[in-house]
Amino acid sequence: MSERASERPRISIIIPTYNERDNLEGLFERVSRALSGAGYEFEIVVVDDNSPDRTWEYAEELGKTGGYPVKVIRRVNEKGLSSAVIRGFREASGDVFVVMDADLQHPPEKIPELLKAIDHGADIAIASRYVPGGGVENWYWYRKLISKGAIMIGRVALPKIRSVRDPVSGFFALRREVVEGAELNPIGFKILMEILIKGKYGKVVEVPFRFGLRKAGESKLSGKTMLNYLKHVYRLMKWEGELDRLIKFSIVGTSGIFVNEGFLWFFVSELGMDKYIANIPATELSILNNFTWNDLWTFKDLRRYPFWKRLFSFHVAALMGAFVQWIIYAPLVYLGINYLLANLVGIGASFVVRFLFNRNVTWG
Ligand code: UDP
Ligand code: MG
């Protein structure tokens, strides 16, 4: 047993703070109890952005009077949540890092469960709101909807994190090696997502938890949050090369229009085929054109399924796209919107559906 204890990792709890004075004592108390109780050696790294309420000063004071193993970093020239966490990683001396908020919305009693998952081989353990047993306290339905919608956007835009249910959680644990040497962007908005894209790791585990109510003070996150989040997802897509794919997919799609029109002309004008019928082989030929270029170019590195499966799946996507285009076109026309404009909106929606289906299924 003692042998087991001696090989236990040392833990650094990284806590970014801004005006959190009134939460600190309870936080330190509960963190210490949870970690000592589970037999871990730990330090608390508080990264404070020079809070007007002097959170940094109080953290130091509590370290002295309460005997908590606290290391305080007071940042004067830098701001921002992600950069605070990255700074914390740099200053932390532990083998395993835990990141959490100061306001007790992240129950410290969950930390040992996260650490257990790491002990059992996970590289990243996420306290997750969206696995069975997890949840949020007292959120209106629209706040839940926004949260889940944002996560869905992130998961479809970034296939690498597709299997993670709560990739934007602010409460997680990871082995030091995951972020050591990773090029994390300090203006990144959701640090966990940044880590999931750029970190070095194998296994990710999610542990359910209930996101509680803020104990004291107030939330610092504003309405700009959503826009910043979308910007962040966009930057990560770019980094992942997913944006290049999107561009290639559009180029191929455009080439398909020419193939379609060209063959339609050829069948009708040169071969004298019926106009209503000629449209069918012309469309099929453009689908084959698009498939070929997407297979050889756009998704070249993602050819995992057999050729026939990819070809079939690509046709399913085309069919779905056509259906989506029509289901948007028809009601818009019915509502009196110009039919060409309605069609354009339909084409846009079809494009998104086809790209996502092909990226996640055909070449998933
Ligand atoms: N925080 C920070 N710098 C900031 C914004 C927030 O250090 O610029 C800290 C804050 O003190 C808290 C955590 O990040 O410990 C989460 O912030 P908040 O509770 O305001 O976010 P919410 O839970 O409302 O999404
Ligand atoms: Mg909070």
Side-chain angles (χ1 to χ4, degrees):
M1 204 51 214
S2 64
E3 195 184 62
R4 179 96 189 83
S6 66
E7 55 185 55
R8 286 212 132 172
R10 254 181 58 85
I11 315 300
S12 297
I13 315 281
I14 295 159
I15 307 175
T17 60
Y18 192 75
N19 284 349
E20 301 288 1
R21 167 186 276 268
D22 296 338
N23 289 315
L24 277 193
E25 193 168 5
L27 176 71
F28 286 3
E29 228 289 298
R30 284 170 62 183
V31 166
S32 301
R33 199 167 342 123
L35 284 157
S36 310
Y40 286 101
E41 205 185 308
F42 68 98
E43 63 173 352
I44 300 175
V45 181
V46 170
V47 186
D48 186 82
D49 286 352
N50 204 17
S51 299
D53 78 352
R54 303 177 84 81
T55 302
W56 41 275
E57 190 180 63
Y58 189 52
E60 265 163 9
E61 197 181 306
L62 277 175
K64 286 190 197 108
T65 58
Y68 300 109
V70 189
K71 177 168 183 178
V72 180
I73 297 146
R74 175 187 176 194
R75 302 196 310 165
V76 181
N77 296 318
E78 269 179 299
K79 284 231 169 308
L81 198 47
S82 280
S83 73
V85 173
I86 293 169
R87 177 71 187 274
F89 289 156
R90 236 187 295 139
E91 306 279 346
S93 63
D95 312 301
V96 172
F97 303 156
V98 175
V99 177
M100 69 189 298
D101 290 354
D103 57 7
L104 293 167
Q105 288 186 287
H106 297 152
E109 293 70 28
K110 270 280 156 188
I111 300 173
E113 269 180 67
L114 296 176
L115 297 177
K116 205 161 124 197
I118 300 270
D119 272 346
H120 284 92
D123 298 300
I124 303 177
I126 303 169
S128 173
R129 295 164 295 178
Y130 301 122
V131 289
V136 287
E137 219 71 71
N138 273 15
W139 274 17
Y140 287 113
W141 64 268
Y142 62 82
R143 209 175 151 197
K144 275 188 203 159
L145 193 75
I146 291 173
S147 168
K148 287 209 168 175
I151 289 173
M152 204 188 74
I153 290 171
R155 287 171 69 196
V156 293
L158 302 163
K160 189 176 177 188
I161 62 168
R162 194 165 47 187
S163 57
V164 180
R165 307 300 291 270
D166 196 354
V168 298
S169 176
F171 188 15
F172 55 91
L174 46 81
R175 292 182 202 279
R176 165 187 279 278
E177 295 76 29
V178 174
V179 289
E180 228 166 25
E183 250 180 85
L184 301 176
N185 186 340
I187 60 169
F189 184 68
K190 291 287 182 186
I191 188 69
L192 176 58
M193 214 158 72
E194 186 82 15
I195 292 168
L196 287 168
I197 293 294
K198 300 182 179 174
K200 284 196 292 289
Y201 61 91
K203 192 172 165 200
V204 180
V205 169
E206 290 185 79
V207 175
F209 93 107
R210 285 196 75 79
F211 189 73
L213 298 173
R214 184 171 250 285
K215 260 284 181 311
E218 55 193 46
S219 171
K220 283 103 209 164
L221 299 177
S222 69
K224 269 197 347 207
T225 305
M226 192 64 194
L227 192 64
N228 283 332
Y229 173 75
L230 292 177
K231 277 194 207 155
H232 191 191
V233 169
Y234 174 82
R235 273 201 306 273
L236 291 175
M237 267 183 91
K238 223 159 129 179
W239 201 86
E240 279 276 87
E242 289 299 324
L243 206 66
D244 292 348
R245 258 191 239 288
L246 198 68
I247 292 165
K248 289 176 183 172
F249 190 78
S250 342
I251 294 173
V252 170
T254 310
S255 83
I257 296 175
F258 288 96
V259 171
N260 200 329
E261 294 273 86
F263 274 107
L264 185 62
W265 170 82
F266 179 75
F267 291 149
V268 174
S269 293
E270 300 294 301
L271 301 185
M273 247 171 114
D274 185 281
K275 278 183 192 145
Y276 294 95
I277 303 293
N279 180 267
I280 297 169
T283 300
E284 177 55 26
L285 284 165
S286 72
I287 292 176
L288 292 176
N289 167 79
N290 293 7
F291 172 78
T292 306
W293 291 114
N294 282 323
D295 203 50
L296 292 176
W297 188 42
T298 317
F299 301 111
K300 181 175 122 206
D301 53 323
L302 296 173
R303 289 181 301 210
R304 280 197 285 130
Y305 300 115
F307 178 81
W308 292 109
K309 271 200 178 161
R310 301 200 299 272
L311 187 62
F312 176 76
S313 178
F314 192 76
H315 279 77
V316 172
L319 219 59
M320 275 171 55
F323 180 70
V324 165
Q325 191 171 335
W326 180 79
I327 207 117
I328 286 182
Y329 174 76
L332 287 183
V333 169
Y334 180 79
L335 288 173
I337 288 168
N338 179 287
Y339 70 99
L340 289 174
L341 182 65
N343 195 37
L344 210 59
V345 177
I347 290 172
S350 157
F351 175 82
V352 172
V353 166
R354 282 180 291 118
F355 178 77
L356 291 179
F357 187 86
N358 283 320
R359 173 62 185 90
N360 289 290
V361 181
T362 315
W363 289 281

